[in-house]
Amino acid sequence: MSEANDDTRDAATSAADPRAAERTRVLLAGILAAALAALAASRDWITTTETGHAGITATTAQAGTDLASWALPCALAGGAAFLAMLAAGNRARRALGVVAALAGLATALGGALHLDAGPWPIATAAAALALAAAGAATTARAGTWPDSSSRYEAAPDGANDKAIAEDPVSLWNALDSGEDPSSPNISASAQEKGRS
């Protein structure tokens, strides 16, 4: 019976690993895309050099924040949404994914309106589209990802109710691995050692 529980737990763990890896990839892609979009939106997009009547040359620059004032705040909002997803549950991730996707589309619009201004608006639009895609992927896939708190939840069939060794180090290791050191299967001497 315990071998069957171990096999079930191993199968669930191996199935959760690709989903956890997918979650990590999407969240990192969203954070990096937001950072790149914010960087590109804050750069000088247009530089103009004019020579006056006295032969004095003046150079003026217009940053992305001057030409598309909403691009930088939207990119930062998308990045903040992805940072919040690191600690959020799956339902909150879906909502934050919608926010990130909309923020990415708004940032991409700012870059797309000024594509002829040079490479920075193109970089802004491309990174913002990647941000929007990561947000859409989060909204679509967050329901299948393991929840960040699932590691600390007890198994429903009692599969994790095995006795833990009686030394304090093992009790701390049990906490780290998500097991409950106050389980009734731990002997009284282990609990006493853990208290001392």
Side-chain angles (χ1 to χ4, degrees), residues 9 150-153 160 162 164 169-181:
R9 185 174 57 229
S150 64
R151 151 179 193 191
Y152 299 105
E153 293 175 1
N160 288 338
K162 61 182 184 272
I164 299 173
V169 173
S170 295
L171 291 172
W172 281 109
N173 290 339
L175 281 173
D176 288 341
S177 66
E179 296 178 31
D180 183 8

Side-chain angles (χ1 to χ4, degrees), residues 15-81:
D17 290 342
R19 292 181 290 163
E22 177 191 25
R23 176 190 66 200
T24 302
R25 283 192 306 270
V26 171
L27 294 182
L28 285 177
I31 292 169
L32 291 175
L36 181 58
L39 175 71
S42 65
R43 298 292 160 201
D44 291 338
W45 287 5
I46 297 175
T47 304
T48 307
T49 303
E50 296 178 1
T51 304
H53 296 292
I56 299 173
T57 303
T59 302
T60 59
Q62 289 184 307
T65 53
D66 298 328
L67 299 172
S69 60
W70 68 90
L72 179 60
C74 287
L76 293 175

Side-chain angles (χ1 to χ4, degrees), residues 69-156:
S69 60
W70 68 90
L72 179 60
C74 287
L76 293 175
F82 271 102
L83 287 175
M85 287 180 208
L86 294 174
N90 287 342
R91 287 184 182 175
R93 281 188 189 129
R94 282 186 165 171
L96 290 167
V98 171
V99 170
L102 292 175
L105 291 175
T107 306
L109 177 64
L113 291 176
H114 301 283
L115 288 178
D116 58 345
W120 286 116
I122 296 169
T124 300
L129 288 176
L131 172 62
T138 300
T139 302
R141 301 284 298 159
T144 64
W145 293 345
D147 207 8
S148 54
S149 65
S150 64
R151 151 179 193 191
Y152 299 105
E153 293 175 1

